[in-house]
Amino acid sequence: MRPRIAWFALLAITLSACTSVPVRAPLQTVELDADSQAQAQARLAAREAAVRAMPAFGFTGRVAMSNGRDGGSGRIEWVQTGADYHVTLSAPVTRQSWELRGGPGGARIEGLEGGPRAGADVGALLWQATGFEIPVAALAAWAAGTRAPEAIAGPAELGFDAGGQLARLQQDGWTIDYLEWQPEPGNAAVALPTRINAQRGDARVRLIVDAWSADAAMPAP
């Protein structure tokens, strides 16, 4: 068995042991009037400022991935500190997991057959190791209901629902649909998404966030 096939087979086994992520229809985008559009843009800007102000944040939940032929789902834990990330995907039933750690300088993945692998391009690294296309560099921003920096993902197009909530974001060829949000908090905090679908071509990532943390700590290497 070739190395990439072996790694992909192990990942598929790991994911298939986990609870699946339910599919839900995306929110409907509408054409807002000028005042409502301005309010929606201001709401988004406030969320982006709040997220950028966090020294670190993270979430735990469930994720499903597919590449048009194969796919699976698992538990996910994500910690983001600036541009650095630490991601763990696990299958509680089999107790198998893989771990990804990286940032602008490159990434390293552990837990797959054949030993750790490292590379300067996290997207290429994951594709070579698993066969899945996962937008790691931008996904934390999208998961938090914000645009990824243009230096990473280019300009973004936005779509809002009738209430002015962000319903769709298109960036770097990906379409991110926001299916569900936390209830609006009664303090200075901002609501964050709890269900997100991202798609580019045959690549799909579905995410359900069970809990957000504004003070997540990056695990030690």
Side-chain angles (χ1 to χ4, degrees), residues 1-104:
M1 183 179 291
R2 289 180 297 171
R4 176 177 167 183
I5 296 175
W7 294 325
F8 178 78
L10 177 58
L11 181 60
I13 292 170
T14 298
L15 294 175
S16 64
C18 301
T19 303
S20 62
V21 177
V23 177
R24 181 177 293 186
L27 299 175
Q28 295 297 312
T29 60
V30 300
E31 190 71 28
L32 299 175
D33 60 43
D35 287 344
S36 298
Q37 181 74 16
Q39 292 173 7
Q41 292 280 3
R43 187 181 192 177
L44 175 61
R47 178 181 304 110
E48 291 177 332
V51 171
R52 286 195 297 268
M54 296 177 187
F57 68 92
F59 60 82
T60 60
R62 290 159 283 167
V63 66
M65 298 173 289
S66 65
N67 59 12
R69 302 181 308 277
D70 304 290
S73 58
R75 295 292 307 176
I76 187 170
E77 297 181 12
W78 191 303
V79 177
Q80 189 81 19
T81 302
D84 295 331
Y85 48 83
H86 178 269
V87 185
T88 301
L89 181 67
S90 60
V93 174
T94 63
R95 297 185 179 180
Q96 293 174 312
S97 66
W98 58 263
E99 181 179 21
L100 177 69
R101 184 186 296 270

